[in-house]
Amino acid sequence: MTTTNQISLRADMRRGVHACWRGLRMLAATAVIGVALAACTGEQFQKGYILPPGALEQIPIGASQDQVLIVMGTPSTVATLDGEVFYYISQRSERPVAFMNQKVVDQRVIAVYFDKTRRVRRLANYGLQDGKIFDFISRTTPTSGQEMSYLTPLFKLLSFN
């Protein structure tokens, strides 16, 4: 083998090694970015009552109030308007990426209606489509009158009236 061929062969081997390392670095960078993005994947949140599987089937019409408490547990809230009603309220929300806002996916209100003798009269399972989501607590109180900014007193000082 001549010296020129040996130098050319070594240069080709070096180029091959550099190309191999470049490919491995690119693969490692892609893996690191993939792992970083996987850490930001979505989350699911469950709030309120979690309905045990098959719980509603264990409560027949005419069951006693004590039976309902044994099967379903303590209700989220109770109404005593026409007879008595137990409400079991839950909400499931999710966000696709860790830094985004939550979006309500499912909302359930299970209502157990009782008659005057405290026996189950009717069961209802209300979902997200049965109601409209709204904020019960508003952070602002509307008032009548003029709203003043920080610049209003300054303009009053500068006016010639």
Side-chain angles (χ1 to χ4, degrees), residues 112-127:
V112 183
Y113 296 91
F114 297 99
D115 59 13
K116 300 289 184 199
T117 62
R118 294 185 175 219
R119 297 273 177 200
V120 175
R121 180 182 59 182
R122 177 170 82 102
L123 291 170
N125 188 352
Y126 302 110

Side-chain angles (χ1 to χ4, degrees), residues 15-36:
R15 270 188 238 122
V17 168
H18 287 299
C20 182
W21 279 110
R22 194 174 323 131
L24 285 175
R25 282 189 299 214
M26 190 68 118
L27 182 66
T30 305
V32 167
I33 290 172
V35 168

Side-chain angles (χ1 to χ4, degrees), residues 2-3 6 10 14 29 40 58 64 69 80 86 89-90 93 102 105 120 123-124 131 133 136 139 143 160:
T2 64
T3 325
Q6 288 178 347
R10 282 189 212 140
R14 262 190 250 126
C40 294
Q58 295 179 20
S64 70
L69 287 171
T80 56
F86 286 179
I89 303 167
S90 68
S93 59
Q102 293 180 21
V105 176
V120 175
L123 291 170
I133 299 173
F136 285 99
R139 299 286 182 216
T143 58
F160 296 107

Side-chain angles (χ1 to χ4, degrees), residues 152-161:
T152 305
L154 180 66
F155 286 129
K156 283 188 178 182
L157 285 172
L158 296 175
S159 68
F160 296 107
N161 293 340

